[in-house]
Amino acid sequence: MGHKVDSCNTDLHKLFYTPRQPRSKDDVNDIEEMKGFQFIYTPEVECVFKNGKKDTILSVTKFVSDPLNGCETDNFSTLSSIFVNYDYNGKEFLMDDVRFWSEIESDKKENKDTKVNYDNEKPTSIEWRIPTKLLGDKTVFIFTDIYGNDVTVSLSKEM
């Protein structure tokens, strides 16, 4: 009489957790029908700056978002976008640039400053090459998942 529930593939999961955040700038204005509600879950992110004279690389080795407890997600499978403020003033976030997942993984020439590293077709890390001259003392990144959850990371360049 009872049903065994697979917490990651239930109709309830589909009802309450329809992806809402775009993974491409072409999808920014798409309208999503909101169903139910969701609690805020902070994604887990691991990243560092790799400093160079000309360019600094944002190296991200982990981005995992777990909106339903117990659901395993692949690394980067829920990453929607990364927003950046190159020279954070300590008060308000002023967006200088953004990369959507579709741009990060793209091989197009205009997206050559980002790349995804793979192991057996699974993303293991991403890199975003940023001209060092753009960076102030503190650079702030906001990582957003497809569910609308954000995590903010502050990095400082080393001289």
Side-chain angles (χ1 to χ4, degrees), residues 42-150:
T42 303
E44 294 178 46
V45 65
E46 292 177 5
C47 60
V48 296
F49 266 161
K50 294 180 179 177
N51 296 303
K53 289 183 181 180
K54 184 178 177 184
D55 292 322
T56 297
I57 297 173
L58 170 68
S59 176
V60 185
T61 55
K62 179 180 182 181
F63 182 89
V64 178
S65 178
D66 184 13
L68 288 176
N69 293 332
C71 284
E72 288 285 326
T73 58
D74 290 333
N75 204 14
F76 302 108
S77 67
T78 58
L79 179 62
S80 169
S81 52
I82 304 172
F83 301 87
V84 62
N85 182 342
Y86 293 130
D87 192 12
Y88 181 65
N89 65 15
K91 295 178 184 174
E92 62 266 344
F93 182 89
L94 303 172
M95 184 180 73
D96 292 312
D97 209 344
V98 61
R99 291 295 181 277
F100 289 93
W101 178 255
S102 63
E103 297 166 318
I104 295 169
E105 71 173 350
S106 173
D107 289 333
K108 292 182 180 178
K109 187 177 180 180
E110 64 266 20
N111 299 319
K112 67 180 179 176
D113 61 350
T114 60
K115 77 173 192 171
V116 180
N117 298 307
Y118 294 92
D119 183 19
N120 292 324
E121 298 184 22
K122 289 194 175 193
T124 57
S125 66
I126 61 174
E127 296 177 358
W128 183 353
R129 185 174 304 276
I130 301 168
T132 302
K133 66 182 179 183
L134 295 177
L135 304 177
D137 292 332
K138 185 188 283 188
T139 302
V140 173
F141 296 91
I142 298 176
F143 294 81
T144 303
D145 71 9
I146 59 175
Y147 307 107
N149 300 306
D150 296 326

